[in-house]
Amino acid sequence: MSIELGLCIGAGYWADTKWGTSPWYLLTGCFFGFLIFTWQLFRLVQSMSKVEASGSKTPKTKTPEPEKNQNETHEKSPNKD
């Protein structure tokens, strides 16, 4: 993602040095680079949210079950009063 930002800024800097329009193309490159970066970040977050919601691609870890006391019985016995 940062490659696009760097390329836009670099292209703006190059255009400013070639045509002597400093800092206008550099600022324009910063603006478009930031827009592209934000758009790609938004798409990345959306795709991660979809994967998390579906649960199909992310491995889920099992939570350990609490240890049971050996004296406890699984079946409840009726009260003998």
Side-chain angles (χ1 to χ4, degrees):
M1 286 190 294
S2 62
I3 292 173
E4 291 85 1
L5 181 62
L7 286 174
C8 289
I9 291 172
Y13 178 76
W14 174 81
D16 277 339
T17 57
K18 181 170 175 84
W19 294 303
T21 57
S22 185
W24 298 112
Y25 284 118
L26 177 63
L27 293 175
T28 304
C30 288
F31 176 74
F32 282 115
F34 182 73
L35 284 179
I36 293 169
F37 175 79
T38 304
W39 178 63
Q40 286 187 346
L41 185 63
F42 179 73
R43 286 182 51 205
L44 177 66
V45 169
Q46 274 189 330
S47 68
M48 289 176 67
S49 296
K50 287 179 185 177
V51 168
E52 187 175 289
S54 69
S56 61
K57 293 185 180 180
T58 56
K60 293 190 176 189
T61 58
K62 291 185 178 181
T63 56
E65 294 182 17
E67 293 183 22
K68 295 182 180 179
N69 189 352
Q70 291 180 353
N71 294 331
E72 292 180 9
T73 58
H74 294 285
E75 298 176 12
K76 291 185 177 182
S77 58
N79 287 339
K80 297 180 183 179
D81 289 325

